[in-house]
Amino acid sequence: MLPSTADPDVIPARHEHAAALEAAIWPARADVFMLSLPMVRTFRSAYGRSAGRKRLIVVRLEDRDGIAGWGEAPIADRPRYGTDTAESTWSALTDLLLPSVVGVSFPGPAQVTSTWADLMGQHYAKNAVESAAWAIASAKLDVPLARLWGAVRDAVPVGESFPICDTPEQLLAEVDARLREGFGRIKLKIAPGWDVTAAAAVAEAFPGVPLSVDANCGYALDSGPWAELDDLGLVMIEQPLAGDALIEMSQLQQQLRTPLCLDESASTYNTTRTALALGAGRIVNIKPPRLGGLLPSMAVHDLCLREQVPAWCGGMLETGIGRGFNLALAALPGFTLHSDMSPARLFYDQDLVEPTFDIRPDGTIAVPTQPGNGFPVVPERVAAAAIRRWSTDTRA
Ligand code: OSB
Ligand code: MG
């Protein structure tokens, strides 16, 4: 059983607490790596099929004290889920964000993020640099991130996100394999042509297992199989309509018993607040790369706690670098539903961290207890996968 949404009166705001944290950070060097990783399977959603290789960007900050912190920007090759691309993220990192951070001393991670408070967007890039700064802070204080942020659990219940398959039989076989590994919630990617039949087949084959669907903006208000989906007893329908269609999302929510979950619509703190106030959803998927960092994610988490809105941590096929931060975040009290946290082996032939993590038979993943990056990054693997590098060193 998952804990119920915590009482906001007895839980201090995580964002305020984390933003006030003092840990001297003085980045002397920054490295940016554009990686190309072979995928072990294609990932298909309403946005189409992912390619056989995935680009992603990894940032390494090295403090004057010699302590290094790593962050990840899990960018997609094409701007379908969000507006950022590999090239725009690279440019934001090397041209805008890192030049204002390297060679400057900061009292804590929040002050690192204030250097870009006036810059719009660039959320993947901001998240990667903020993550690296938090890893340095955590290492310097010798306190794991989850504890720094006010974790209330040491294990995170996880579900799996199932790409669109060629046949229902193939889907049922994959679901069966993941359930045997312990995954406690099934989320099916849906799109017109792959929705009610697939979801009904899974509901029938695995009764009692929490089931949800993720439409990735693939429908219009008057064109979805809403009544049929509503009858399946789903935990949620994630992002049925366009991210900015908040009024239509609210109209749809009024027609359904099933809660709608905000993913693409939860693009910033203010937009998430607006969406909740409009009744555009009753659950929030919190993703640091989409929201532009850990602190913005904590602010949305605090909002959800205050408003008694269940939340969970979404993923973007991160390697163990990004997942290390997501796991620490998902240990906060407002994350009351299963998170998308599949281990990297389900996407990549090799993770960038060693040891990596995996699901345990009880359906949870352990929250990292190591200070700094949750899992030890293997620099040789990052270098081996790099197709482009950039660095700046104030000591050179
Ligand atoms: O909509 O949640 C999504 C991956 C990339 C972009 C968007 C989404 C996803 C997933 C993957 O569903 C979940 C995961 O990382 O485990
Ligand atoms: Mg989603």
Side-chain angles (χ1 to χ4, degrees):
M1 200 50 203
L2 298 176
S4 63
T5 300
D7 180 352
D9 294 334
V10 298
I11 307 282
R14 262 47 185 187
H15 175 268
E16 257 169 66
H17 170 83
L21 186 97
E22 291 181 26
I25 302 175
W26 194 326
R29 179 187 172 97
D31 291 273
V32 186
F33 303 87
M34 176 83 76
L35 309 187
S36 172
L37 295 180
M39 305 279 295
V40 295
R41 59 170 178 167
T42 58
F43 198 85
R44 189 169 152 210
S45 72
Y47 293 128
R49 215 181 274 272
S50 64
R53 299 185 78 86
K54 188 182 190 302
R55 283 200 286 177
L56 64 96
I57 296 176
V58 165
V59 173
R60 179 182 183 272
L61 282 185
E62 186 179 321
D63 196 85
R64 258 190 0 163
D65 293 356
I67 293 173
W70 297 78
E72 174 173 352
I75 35 102
D77 280 324
R78 298 178 67 77
R80 298 186 282 209
Y81 173 84
T83 56
D84 297 5
T85 67
E87 297 304 334
S88 68
T89 301
W90 182 270
S91 158
L93 285 166
T94 60
D95 195 35
L96 296 169
L97 305 186
L98 290 169
S100 64
V101 163
V102 177
V104 183
S105 90
F106 300 97
Q111 289 73 30
V112 174
T113 68
S114 0
T115 63
W116 56 69
D118 61 330
L119 301 183
M120 283 192 71
Q122 318 303 337
H123 283 187
Y124 291 71
K126 288 173 180 174
N127 177 63
V129 181
E130 191 195 330
S131 298
W134 274 108
I136 291 176
S138 163
K140 282 203 179 184
L141 298 171
D142 199 27
V143 178
L145 284 168
R147 194 131 57 79
L148 277 187
W149 294 341
V152 296
R153 60 181 76 87
D154 56 16
V156 172
V158 295
E160 169 71 340
S161 173
F162 292 84
I164 294 171
C165 295
D166 292 328
T167 64
E169 293 70 40
Q170 193 190 338
L171 173 66
L172 291 177
E174 278 201 34
V175 170
D176 185 60
R178 295 290 92 75
L179 289 176
R180 284 171 198 279
E181 290 171 4
F183 286 91
R185 179 271 284 140
I186 298 162
K187 157 174 150 181
L188 305 181
K189 292 292 192 180
I190 59 166
W194 181 265
D195 44 39
V196 177
T197 313
V202 172
E204 199 197 332
F206 307 100
V209 180
L211 175 65
S212 64
V213 295
D214 183 359
N216 284 116
C217 312
Y219 295 84
L221 178 58
D222 56 8
S223 76
W226 308 126
E228 293 94 320
L229 287 175
D230 207 22
D231 282 341
L232 290 174
L234 303 173
V235 182
M236 70 189 86
I237 300 173
E238 186 176 340
Q239 201 65 47
L241 311 179
D244 58 0
L246 299 182
I247 292 176
E248 286 78 5
M249 287 269 284
S250 157
Q251 288 168 340
L252 180 58
Q253 180 66 91
Q254 280 169 41
Q255 298 170 19
L256 302 178
R257 297 179 305 272
T258 311
L260 300 183
C261 172
L262 310 172
D263 180 355
E264 284 86 335
S265 288
S267 51
T268 65
Y269 172 85
N270 282 330
T271 308
T272 308
R273 206 168 145 231
T274 306
L276 292 175
L278 284 172
R282 297 184 184 149
I283 295 176
V284 179
N285 167 340
I286 297 179
K287 283 187 195 175
R290 187 194 64 229
L291 285 160
L294 282 322
L295 285 168
S297 298
M298 286 180 228
V300 172
H301 161 271
D302 294 351
L303 167 71
C304 291
L305 264 190
R306 282 199 306 277
E307 311 261 323
Q308 310 258 348
V309 171
W312 53 285
C313 183
M316 307 191 55
L317 314 182
E318 288 94 338
T319 71
I321 297 179
R323 295 287 210 217
F325 295 94
N326 291 356
L327 282 165
L329 189 67
L332 300 191
F335 290 87
T336 53
L337 296 169
H338 293 86
S339 291
D340 277 348
M341 205 66 78
S342 347
R345 69 175 158 83
L346 291 173
F347 315 128
Y348 308 108
D349 58 1
Q350 195 182 42
D351 201 350
L352 301 173
V353 301
E354 186 68 49
T356 182
F357 61 95
D358 213 326
I359 186 162
R360 303 184 295 194
D362 71 353
T364 67
I365 292 176
V367 174
T369 54
Q370 162 180 295
N373 279 96
F375 306 106
V377 180
V378 185
E380 297 77 19
R381 290 194 194 160
V382 173
I387 53 173
R388 199 190 305 168
R389 302 176 63 141
W390 177 92
S391 65
T392 179
D393 195 327
T394 49
R395 298 159 307 187

